[in-house]
Amino acid sequence: MDGLFNKLRNFDAYPKINEDFYSRTLSGGLITIASSVLMILLFFSELLLYLHTVTETELVVDTSRGETLRINFDVTFPALPCSMLSLDAMDISGEQHLDVKHDIIKKRIDAHGNMIEVRQDGIGAPKIENPLQRHGGRLEHNETYCGSCYGAEASDKDCCNSCEEVREAYRKKGWGMSNPDLIDQCKREGFLQRIKDEEGEGCNIYGFLEVNKVAGNFHFAPGKSFQQSNMHVHDLLAFQKDSFNVSHKINRLTFGDYFPGVVNPLDGVQWMQQTPYGMYQYFIKVVPTVYTDINGHKIQSNQFSVTEHFKSDEAGRIQSLPGVFFFYDLSPIRVTFMEQHVSFLHFLTNVCAIVGGIFTVSGILDSFIYHSHRAIKKKMEIGKFS
């Protein structure tokens, strides 16, 4: 047994030196203290990194199909009243959402950005006791009101009982409304008067859209939209205005839900129009993104990049629709973020590297200082050091 132990002693890579042969120095003590402090600091730094999560990034081809895209927006138009502003969305598949009103909210604001209380419809309108019936006569006491659509009826039984319903009927026909005062419903409700009263006001519009996950666009523009000769047209004649100021501030624009670390490049972007007419365009590249947290919960969302362009028209020559347009396209690459903990073996390896590395470097430094000091001292003793 003793022979076996003796053979094992021969494998000892750390031979021991008798304490009587130790020589302790001041420089060695300082280096030991400094290296110990550095070792402790690096150890706790590595421990914090081990306790916190790290995010791994992966790029894969997006193979998802049949999904929808949620667009969240909050845009302020300081010089465009809410009664003029409309929102449309369309995509390359041919699906259109014109004059979207569901899931959005409009707030009237004054020139200073303060919200104005909602005014009751019809204030400022001239009083007409008996509305005009579809057949041409005035509403009698015992009759049910059925207003005329002024030739835009889809069938003989259709009624347009408000200015908005007449405008909607005109939109479906692809007609423009040149003079709202010739429409009984619009005259009674004071359509033009309301537009004049809102002169100088702005509008804050916010909400969300659910669209197909294909390339498309959505835009904010004055007037009701309709299709005419396969072209998307907005009826601007009804407002009887010479110019439309589409200055705007994008308070928030996201494609999907929030996830940690997301950056939305258009949040807080503001643009002021200097010309009477113009179309402001944003060209957006949407990148599908999946974020998986440490508990395995997945967030399906998107990131995006954007470029901008302003198309100006000369006064009196409107060649493009005044408004703010967002053209978006989808990237075929999906980004996957995954929160993970550093493995214990990786942590242990780094700790060993810290301890071994500092111990080795401090030993080399101490040896260099010790032998340099001895050499200088020896030369001074024999008088050769100058």
Side-chain angles (χ1 to χ4, degrees), residues 47-237:
L47 181 62
L48 289 174
L49 185 63
Y50 170 70
L51 295 176
H52 284 76
T53 59
V54 294
T55 303
E56 298 291 334
T57 305
E58 183 182 9
L59 299 179
V60 296
V61 176
D62 185 19
T63 57
S64 60
R65 293 181 297 173
E67 296 181 355
T68 59
L69 182 66
R70 181 179 174 122
I71 305 172
N72 306 294
F73 59 86
D74 182 352
V75 186
T76 299
F77 294 86
L80 201 60
C82 288
S83 59
M84 293 186 183
L85 191 62
S86 67
L87 169 63
D88 299 332
M90 54 197 70
D91 59 45
I92 58 172
S93 70
E95 186 168 324
Q96 297 186 357
H97 303 275
L98 304 181
D99 195 17
V100 179
K101 294 183 179 178
H102 55 84
D103 299 321
I104 67 170
I105 297 174
K106 293 180 182 179
K107 288 185 178 179
R108 293 170 54 202
I109 57 174
D110 60 20
H112 303 289
N114 302 315
M115 190 179 72
I116 302 173
E117 292 295 330
V118 177
R119 183 181 60 191
Q120 186 180 353
D121 288 341
I123 289 182
K127 285 190 176 182
I128 299 178
E129 297 296 337
N130 297 324
L132 193 64
Q133 288 278 54
R134 182 163 61 90
H135 54 70
R138 290 290 175 182
L139 179 66
E140 299 298 333
H141 181 67
N142 294 324
E143 284 185 317
T144 301
Y145 178 50
C146 179
S148 172
C149 295
Y150 296 87
E153 300 92 346
S155 67
D156 292 338
K157 295 182 179 180
D158 285 351
C159 300
C160 295
N161 296 339
S162 66
C163 184
E164 185 66 23
E165 290 180 3
V166 177
R167 295 178 68 202
E168 182 65 19
Y170 268 53
R171 184 191 68 78
K172 290 179 179 178
K173 283 284 188 179
W175 298 350
M177 186 183 293
S178 59
N179 188 355
D181 273 347
L182 298 179
I183 308 299
D184 180 67
Q185 292 89 327
C186 296
K187 188 174 182 180
R188 281 191 295 107
E189 295 173 12
F191 177 79
L192 288 178
Q193 183 63 40
R194 186 165 68 247
I195 292 175
K196 291 178 182 178
D197 292 344
E198 292 182 4
E199 189 73 31
E201 290 184 8
C203 187
N204 172 228
I205 179 170
Y206 62 92
F208 69 89
L209 293 169
E210 286 279 354
V211 297
N212 295 325
K213 198 174 179 180
V214 295
N217 81 83
F218 64 97
H219 56 268
F220 303 92
K224 277 191 172 293
S225 59
F226 54 89
Q227 291 294 118
Q228 189 177 72
S229 302
N230 295 322
M231 292 182 62
H232 184 74
V233 181
H234 278 245
D235 179 16
L236 305 179
L237 294 175

